[in-house]
Amino acid sequence: MHYVVIDFVVRDNSGGILSILQDVNKFARRHSGDFFTFVVGTENLVVPAPNINVILRHDLQRSYTKRLFFDFFGGAKFINSLHADVVISLQNTAVLGLNVPEMLYVHQPLPFEKNYRFSFFKKSERKMAFYQHFVGSIIKMNLRLFHNGAITVQTHWMKKELKHYTRQQIFVTRPSIDRSDYSGQVLGKKSKNFFFPSTAMIYKNHQNLIEAYKSLPEKIKAEYNLILTISKDEYTKLYKKTEDDPHIKFYGRIPRSEVLTILSHSILVFPSKIETLGLPLIEGMILQRQIAASDISPVIEVTEGYDSVTYFNPDDRDSISSALLKVLQMNLAKRKFEDSYKNGWQAFFDNVGAIKDEK
């Protein structure tokens, strides 16, 4: 089987979407009987192998106009010339007009979020408003025009939202978790911190979390610091205010191994307003940590059945602070988290093979 994998928008600092590309790359390296051609926009994101070819398209990454033309008009000729058996797009939009079936992976929730509308008039929200409104309208148009293949999302919430824009088959497939990443972690450690691992995005809701944390009694803050994986400069840029509480630690970006080590002895706090999956939630459950999280549909779906979680209104600082106090009284999860999506990427490629066979 020859797979062509398209992801020329991802960069080396792209966070979760880079993880998706790297997971597909790992799958390709393990399946040497198949051939994979990756079309990407940045060097060194794909680890080479005898069965892996990489095509660099810097031009498509640097120009959004070129990307639009590629997806809607000119890209089919280029992709068809690669003679794939099936095409996989990991970047929220399909290349239209292909002569082989395509699996479209949609992981951007902003266009489908109805509870939070970002504004072009607020400088801190302009980037999110651009993705939610302008890019969102393009993604929805692309979904309406996509007729040759199927779609993959990570949650049933996303599937429900996408059904408004497409009649194509939609699979819900959660990315599989590599348990080897947790092999050095000791379960059952006493919690020493509140911990929120995330990127510096306005919808991650750091400000409400910080203000809620600051309202806690000093005795509690002295015992439980709040650790964030954004820098103090990033926080200031996002919210136009500085923060100097000595109990709030701005670590900035840290390696995934360090994230897991900190999480193994922390309470996970997850105040995000918008999510598709929320990988830290799964990581926290694997490590059997206490969790305080937003009461939004994707979060509740992912944590359903977990026995050490409490929820709060992410827009209400009193609700957040109450949840922080409540989670301090909760025990570690009693039963080990069992991921029902252990073979997530295998299931994904099984679905890819199925749409190829149907063609």
Side-chain angles (χ1 to χ4, degrees):
M1 180 91 76
H2 178 202
Y3 301 92
V4 169
V5 182
I6 304 170
D7 203 356
F8 49 74
V9 300
V10 70
R11 302 173 186 270
D12 57 8
N13 61 348
S14 294
I17 62 173
L18 175 58
S19 297
I20 291 172
L21 175 64
Q22 291 173 333
D23 283 347
V24 174
N25 185 191
K26 290 178 183 177
F27 183 93
R29 292 168 61 198
R30 292 196 301 267
H31 291 77
S32 57
D34 296 312
F35 191 78
F36 294 78
T37 297
F38 286 82
V39 183
V40 295
T42 299
E43 294 94 338
N44 302 320
L45 298 185
V46 176
V47 178
N51 67 321
I52 295 175
N53 180 43
V54 179
I55 298 175
L56 286 172
R57 291 295 304 266
H58 298 289
D59 58 319
L60 297 174
Q61 187 175 88
R62 293 167 181 166
S63 170
Y64 199 80
T65 302
K66 283 189 176 182
R67 179 194 168 177
L68 287 179
F69 184 82
F70 187 92
D71 284 345
F72 283 86
F73 305 105
K77 181 179 180 180
F78 172 75
I79 298 300
N80 286 336
S81 72
L82 301 177
H83 304 294
D85 293 303
V86 64
V87 172
I88 299 170
S89 173
L90 298 177
Q91 53 187 32
N92 298 300
T93 51
V95 177
L96 303 178
L98 298 181
N99 57 21
V100 296
E102 180 175 8
M103 178 64 82
L104 170 61
Y105 199 117
V106 180
H107 48 78
Q108 175 55 266
L110 285 177
F112 310 102
E113 175 57 51
K114 297 182 176 67
N115 295 323
Y116 301 96
R117 310 301 291 178
F118 295 101
S119 172
F120 287 103
F121 298 102
K122 296 180 181 180
K123 187 176 181 180
S124 63
E125 294 186 5
R126 284 174 190 164
K127 182 177 180 180
M128 294 300 102
F130 174 78
Y131 279 104
Q132 187 173 49
H133 303 298
F134 179 73
V135 176
S137 64
I138 291 169
I139 290 175
K140 291 171 183 176
M141 183 188 304
N142 186 269
L143 286 170
R144 290 188 176 102
L145 296 173
F146 175 50
H147 300 300
N148 185 18
I151 300 166
T152 293
V153 296
Q154 296 176 341
T155 61
H156 291 278
W157 172 84
M158 279 285 284
K159 178 178 180 177
K160 180 180 177 182
E161 294 302 318
L162 262 63
K163 279 186 173 181
H164 296 297
Y165 306 97
T166 181
R167 294 184 178 180
Q168 298 302 107
Q169 185 174 11
I170 303 175
F171 297 100
V172 178
T173 307
R174 185 181 296 173
S176 54
I177 304 299
D178 188 349
R179 293 303 182 97
S180 65
D181 292 343
Y182 303 83
S183 58
Q185 305 300 334
V186 178
L187 301 180
K189 292 181 182 177
K190 183 181 183 298
S191 297
K192 300 178 181 179
N193 317 284
F194 293 110
F195 183 38
F196 179 33
S198 73
T199 51
M201 297 292 187
I202 194 77
Y203 62 84
K204 295 295 184 179
N205 202 25
H206 293 87
Q207 185 175 33
N208 278 349
L209 171 60
I210 283 177
E211 295 303 322
Y213 173 80
K214 287 166 63 177
S215 71
L216 298 179
E218 285 296 321
K219 182 179 179 180
I220 290 177
K221 291 195 294 180
E223 185 174 356
Y224 296 91
N225 288 333
L226 173 60
I227 298 177
L228 307 170
T229 57
I230 64 172
S231 69
K232 189 177 289 189
D233 287 344
E234 286 175 325
Y235 180 80
T236 300
K237 185 177 180 181
L238 277 177
Y239 299 106
K240 302 298 179 290
K241 61 185 300 184
T242 58
E243 184 51 64
D244 297 313
D245 189 310
H247 301 300
I248 300 174
K249 311 297 182 182
F250 293 91
Y251 279 24
R253 186 160 297 185
I254 57 178
R256 173 172 162 76
S257 58
E258 188 174 349
V259 168
L260 295 179
T261 297
I262 296 171
L263 185 55
S264 72
H265 54 72
S266 298
I267 294 169
L268 175 64
V269 188
F270 200 77
S272 183
K273 296 182 179 184
I274 300 174
E275 284 296 333
T276 47
L277 181 69
L279 181 59
L281 295 169
I282 296 176
E283 294 171 334
M285 289 188 289
I286 290 173
L287 294 170
Q288 298 177 234
R289 307 311 303 172
Q290 306 101 318
I291 299 173
S294 296
D295 60 354
I296 59 175
S297 296
V299 169
I300 293 172
E301 179 180 331
V302 169
T303 57
E304 183 179 11
Y306 190 63
D307 62 355
S308 190
V309 59
T310 187
Y311 303 103
F312 54 75
N313 179 349
D315 286 317
D316 186 337
R317 294 172 183 176
D318 289 338
S319 176
I320 299 174
S321 60
S322 295
L324 295 181
L325 291 173
K326 181 179 180 179
V327 78
L328 289 173
Q329 307 304 315
M330 297 174 65
N331 295 319
L332 296 172
K334 294 179 181 179
R335 55 188 177 84
K336 190 175 182 181
F337 173 72
E338 292 297 335
D339 186 4
S340 60
Y341 294 81
K342 288 181 180 178
N343 297 313
W345 286 113
Q346 183 60 60
F348 173 82
F349 275 92
D350 288 346
N351 294 335
V352 171
I355 65 171
K356 187 263 180 186
D357 293 339
E358 289 175 4
K359 184 67 175 181

